Amino acid sequence: MNSIDIHHPASAIDQQTVETIRAQSAPFKGMMTGPEARPGYDAMIAAIPAATGVSYTETSIGGIAGHWCHVPGAPADTAILYLHGGGYVLGSALAYKSFASQFAARAGVSVFVADYGLAPESPFPAGLDDARAVWRGLQAKGIKRIVIVGDSAGGGLSLSLLNWASTEAAAGRTLAPVACVVMSPWTDLALTGSSYATRSEEDPFVTQAMLLTCADMYLGTTDPKTAEASPIYGNLAGLPPIQMHVGTSEVLLDDTLNY
């Protein structure tokens, strides 16, 4: 794949925001690993301010529940599919809809946030199966242009869905994705990147032990290097444009740099 690397130095406002996040998340660093942490994680994500002018609808697409973030004048044949983070164990469409609304408002495109199944109740490949069902459901509703967006585990899931949809499109069985945007994607559930150790102190929230616990819940006996679970091991040839965002203080840094 052709790639362009851009480094954005932190501004004074960015740095202040980062320090605030560090202070707020320090008591919970590495601790949100099981279903019992879902209310706390959702509360943290739901605190992100919603964009103005966005309305919401709770519904299901392809049999998968979720929330639409609607913007006035959005094209009827275009949508963003948002797959949330949370280590495949935490997170919900309800909690993430305010965050997703920022994408809707800035892009002028409605966003569907999917409630894919979470581990340990719904282990691999349930999350990917649900994402595929939403993909098909969106197209069944006449949506022809879809951008896949996700963060953390949802970023890895977005790349796995991108790979599957691109392969299906090449075979003439679906429409090709327009693009994919991921933030701090978890692309390697085998956790082989050196940043898991070198950024362990700097990362404000995530630890290697936390991700290992989540990976065990999600994968069960599945090989963590299975490409559908860890897209870093998949075939990257012929994929649509991908934009990846990651911070230099994150344990997930190498999951982006090595992709």
Side-chain angles (χ1 to χ4, degrees), residues 24 34 39-40 65 74 76 159 175 188 201 206 239 248 254:
Q24 292 176 340
L159 293 169
L175 297 175
D188 181 10
E201 295 299 321
V206 179
L239 294 179
T248 54
D254 283 347

PDB file of all heavy atoms in Angstrom, residues 24 34 39-40 65 74 76 159 175 188 201 206 239 248 254:
ATOM      1  N   GLN A  24      -8.132  12.396  34.650  1.00  0.00           N
ATOM      2  CA  GLN A  24      -9.432  11.754  34.821  1.00  0.00           C
ATOM      3  C   GLN A  24      -9.355  10.237  34.724  1.00  0.00           C
ATOM      4  O   GLN A  24     -10.092   9.519  35.405  1.00  0.00           O
ATOM      5  CB  GLN A  24     -10.405  12.304  33.777  1.00  0.00           C
ATOM      6  CG  GLN A  24     -10.790  13.756  33.981  1.00  0.00           C
ATOM      7  CD  GLN A  24     -11.669  14.272  32.870  1.00  0.00           C
ATOM      8  OE1 GLN A  24     -11.724  13.715  31.768  1.00  0.00           O
ATOM      9  NE2 GLN A  24     -12.386  15.360  33.147  1.00  0.00           N
ATOM     10  N   GLY A  34     -13.775  -6.149  32.086  1.00  0.00           N
ATOM     11  CA  GLY A  34     -14.869  -7.113  32.029  1.00  0.00           C
ATOM     12  C   GLY A  34     -16.216  -6.454  31.898  1.00  0.00           C
ATOM     13  O   GLY A  34     -16.332  -5.228  31.940  1.00  0.00           O
ATOM     14  N   PRO A  39     -20.851   0.009  32.555  1.00  0.00           N
ATOM     15  CA  PRO A  39     -21.479   1.286  32.916  1.00  0.00           C
ATOM     16  C   PRO A  39     -20.470   2.427  33.052  1.00  0.00           C
ATOM     17  O   PRO A  39     -20.721   3.543  32.582  1.00  0.00           O
ATOM     18  CB  PRO A  39     -22.165   0.976  34.245  1.00  0.00           C
ATOM     19  CG  PRO A  39     -22.412  -0.495  34.215  1.00  0.00           C
ATOM     20  CD  PRO A  39     -21.229  -1.073  33.501  1.00  0.00           C
ATOM     21  N   GLY A  40     -19.328   2.157  33.669  1.00  0.00           N
ATOM     22  CA  GLY A  40     -18.319   3.194  33.831  1.00  0.00           C
ATOM     23  C   GLY A  40     -17.723   3.636  32.509  1.00  0.00           C
ATOM     24  O   GLY A  40     -17.501   4.831  32.274  1.00  0.00           O
ATOM     25  N   ALA A  65     -29.079  -3.899  16.305  1.00  0.00           N
ATOM     26  CA  ALA A  65     -29.528  -2.646  16.905  1.00  0.00           C
ATOM     27  C   ALA A  65     -28.461  -1.571  16.806  1.00  0.00           C
ATOM     28  O   ALA A  65     -27.265  -1.865  16.667  1.00  0.00           O
ATOM     29  CB  ALA A  65     -29.907  -2.877  18.368  1.00  0.00           C
ATOM     30  N   ALA A  74     -28.397  15.566   4.513  1.00  0.00           N
ATOM     31  CA  ALA A  74     -27.455  14.490   4.224  1.00  0.00           C
ATOM     32  C   ALA A  74     -27.920  13.693   3.007  1.00  0.00           C
ATOM     33  O   ALA A  74     -29.116  13.444   2.840  1.00  0.00           O
ATOM     34  CB  ALA A  74     -27.330  13.554   5.423  1.00  0.00           C
ATOM     35  N   ALA A  76     -29.107  10.770   0.721  1.00  0.00           N
ATOM     36  CA  ALA A  76     -29.839   9.561   1.109  1.00  0.00           C
ATOM     37  C   ALA A  76     -29.082   8.283   0.773  1.00  0.00           C
ATOM     38  O   ALA A  76     -29.343   7.234   1.373  1.00  0.00           O
ATOM     39  CB  ALA A  76     -31.210   9.556   0.450  1.00  0.00           C
ATOM     40  N   LEU A 159     -11.354  -2.443  10.007  1.00  0.00           N
ATOM     41  CA  LEU A 159     -10.408  -2.907   8.994  1.00  0.00           C
ATOM     42  C   LEU A 159     -10.706  -4.342   8.565  1.00  0.00           C
ATOM     43  O   LEU A 159     -10.539  -4.693   7.396  1.00  0.00           O
ATOM     44  CB  LEU A 159      -8.980  -2.788   9.534  1.00  0.00           C
ATOM     45  CG  LEU A 159      -8.502  -1.347   9.751  1.00  0.00           C
ATOM     46  CD1 LEU A 159      -7.203  -1.334  10.543  1.00  0.00           C
ATOM     47  CD2 LEU A 159      -8.328  -0.617   8.421  1.00  0.00           C
ATOM     48  N   LEU A 175     -21.218  -3.909  -2.957  1.00  0.00           N
ATOM     49  CA  LEU A 175     -20.564  -2.680  -3.384  1.00  0.00           C
ATOM     50  C   LEU A 175     -19.299  -2.464  -2.557  1.00  0.00           C
ATOM     51  O   LEU A 175     -19.232  -2.846  -1.385  1.00  0.00           O
ATOM     52  CB  LEU A 175     -21.504  -1.485  -3.205  1.00  0.00           C
ATOM     53  CG  LEU A 175     -22.795  -1.520  -4.046  1.00  0.00           C
ATOM     54  CD1 LEU A 175     -23.686  -0.329  -3.677  1.00  0.00           C
ATOM     55  CD2 LEU A 175     -22.467  -1.496  -5.535  1.00  0.00           C
ATOM     56  N   ASP A 188      -3.709  -5.991  16.038  1.00  0.00           N
ATOM     57  CA  ASP A 188      -2.909  -7.181  16.323  1.00  0.00           C
ATOM     58  C   ASP A 188      -3.252  -7.727  17.698  1.00  0.00           C
ATOM     59  O   ASP A 188      -2.691  -7.309  18.712  1.00  0.00           O
ATOM     60  CB  ASP A 188      -1.417  -6.814  16.244  1.00  0.00           C
ATOM     61  CG  ASP A 188      -0.505  -7.997  16.494  1.00  0.00           C
ATOM     62  OD1 ASP A 188      -1.007  -9.143  16.548  1.00  0.00           O
ATOM     63  OD2 ASP A 188       0.712  -7.784  16.637  1.00  0.00           O
ATOM     64  N   GLU A 201       3.983   3.266  30.279  1.00  0.00           N
ATOM     65  CA  GLU A 201       3.847   4.321  31.282  1.00  0.00           C
ATOM     66  C   GLU A 201       3.143   5.544  30.711  1.00  0.00           C
ATOM     67  O   GLU A 201       2.375   6.221  31.407  1.00  0.00           O
ATOM     68  CB  GLU A 201       5.221   4.715  31.829  1.00  0.00           C
ATOM     69  CG  GLU A 201       5.919   3.616  32.607  1.00  0.00           C
ATOM     70  CD  GLU A 201       5.128   3.173  33.826  1.00  0.00           C
ATOM     71  OE1 GLU A 201       4.532   4.051  34.489  1.00  0.00           O
ATOM     72  OE2 GLU A 201       5.095   1.961  34.107  1.00  0.00           O
ATOM     73  N   VAL A 206      -4.862   2.623  28.626  1.00  0.00           N
ATOM     74  CA  VAL A 206      -4.792   1.211  28.235  1.00  0.00           C
ATOM     75  C   VAL A 206      -3.470   0.586  28.679  1.00  0.00           C
ATOM     76  O   VAL A 206      -2.421   1.232  28.642  1.00  0.00           O
ATOM     77  CB  VAL A 206      -4.943   1.072  26.710  1.00  0.00           C
ATOM     78  CG1 VAL A 206      -4.850  -0.392  26.273  1.00  0.00           C
ATOM     79  CG2 VAL A 206      -6.277   1.664  26.254  1.00  0.00           C
ATOM     80  N   LEU A 239      -7.084  -2.523  -1.272  1.00  0.00           N
ATOM     81  CA  LEU A 239      -8.087  -1.944  -0.376  1.00  0.00           C
ATOM     82  C   LEU A 239      -8.351  -0.481  -0.734  1.00  0.00           C
ATOM     83  O   LEU A 239      -7.481   0.204  -1.278  1.00  0.00           O
ATOM     84  CB  LEU A 239      -7.609  -2.031   1.074  1.00  0.00           C
ATOM     85  CG  LEU A 239      -7.463  -3.430   1.668  1.00  0.00           C
ATOM     86  CD1 LEU A 239      -6.950  -3.336   3.102  1.00  0.00           C
ATOM     87  CD2 LEU A 239      -8.779  -4.190   1.627  1.00  0.00           C
ATOM     88  N   THR A 248       1.389   9.150  19.811  1.00  0.00           N
ATOM     89  CA  THR A 248       2.712   8.583  20.067  1.00  0.00           C
ATOM     90  C   THR A 248       2.874   8.074  21.498  1.00  0.00           C
ATOM     91  O   THR A 248       3.859   7.408  21.809  1.00  0.00           O
ATOM     92  CB  THR A 248       3.810   9.615  19.777  1.00  0.00           C
ATOM     93  OG1 THR A 248       3.549  10.811  20.525  1.00  0.00           O
ATOM     94  CG2 THR A 248       3.846   9.955  18.291  1.00  0.00           C
ATOM     95  N   ASP A 254       2.146   0.815  17.675  1.00  0.00           N
ATOM     96  CA  ASP A 254       2.673  -0.089  16.662  1.00  0.00           C
ATOM     97  C   ASP A 254       1.579  -0.822  15.896  1.00  0.00           C
ATOM     98  O   ASP A 254       1.828  -1.310  14.785  1.00  0.00           O
ATOM     99  CB  ASP A 254       3.637  -1.098  17.290  1.00  0.00           C
ATOM    100  CG  ASP A 254       4.996  -0.476  17.579  1.00  0.00           C
ATOM    101  OD1 ASP A 254       5.268   0.641  17.065  1.00  0.00           O
ATOM    102  OD2 ASP A 254       5.803  -1.090  18.305  1.00  0.00           O
TER     103      ASP A 254
END
